[in-house]
Amino acid sequence: MFSTEFLLTSLVVVLIPGTGVIYTISNGLFLGRKASIAAAAGCTAGIIPHLTASILGLSANLVRSRVAGLPKLILILQRSFAAVFAAMGIKLAMTSR
């Protein structure tokens, strides 16, 4: 049913901790139990919108619309989010000096 390559790749992906796990553990080690619980809750809260979009089929619609010829909306969203993140980065760089 599944190839050996697929199973080995899946095993490696499952065994390697993600950024959320590393963030949560480091907060627990350096800042304590409450910070670790808050980090875990924050990571989970970040996943929920993506999970909801996936369940509702919005992710597939975005991919389909990009392929079908509606890339302008996605391009506008990408560039607006990029501008927001760039502004946040610039603000952080200016305040840390």
Side-chain angles (χ1 to χ4, degrees):
M1 182 170 189
F2 294 113
S3 67
T4 307
E5 294 86 8
F6 174 77
L7 292 174
L8 287 174
T9 304
S10 298
L11 180 67
V12 169
V13 168
V14 168
L15 290 179
I16 296 174
T19 55
V21 173
I22 294 171
Y23 178 69
T24 303
I25 290 173
S26 67
N27 271 352
L29 290 174
F30 294 110
L31 300 175
R33 184 177 189 177
K34 288 183 181 180
S36 180
I37 291 171
C43 289
T44 302
I47 293 171
I48 290 174
H50 297 285
L51 179 66
T52 305
S54 177
I55 289 171
L56 296 175
L58 298 177
S59 301
N61 285 335
L62 282 174
V63 170
R64 190 179 323 127
S65 69
R66 185 170 185 145
V67 172
L70 244 176
K72 289 193 187 253
L73 174 63
I74 294 176
L75 186 64
I76 290 169
L77 287 173
Q78 286 176 340
R79 289 192 178 165
S80 61
F81 283 120
V84 168
F85 285 130
M88 288 170 49
I90 292 169
K91 183 177 179 182
L92 180 65
M94 295 299 214
T95 58
S96 65
R97 291 183 184 189

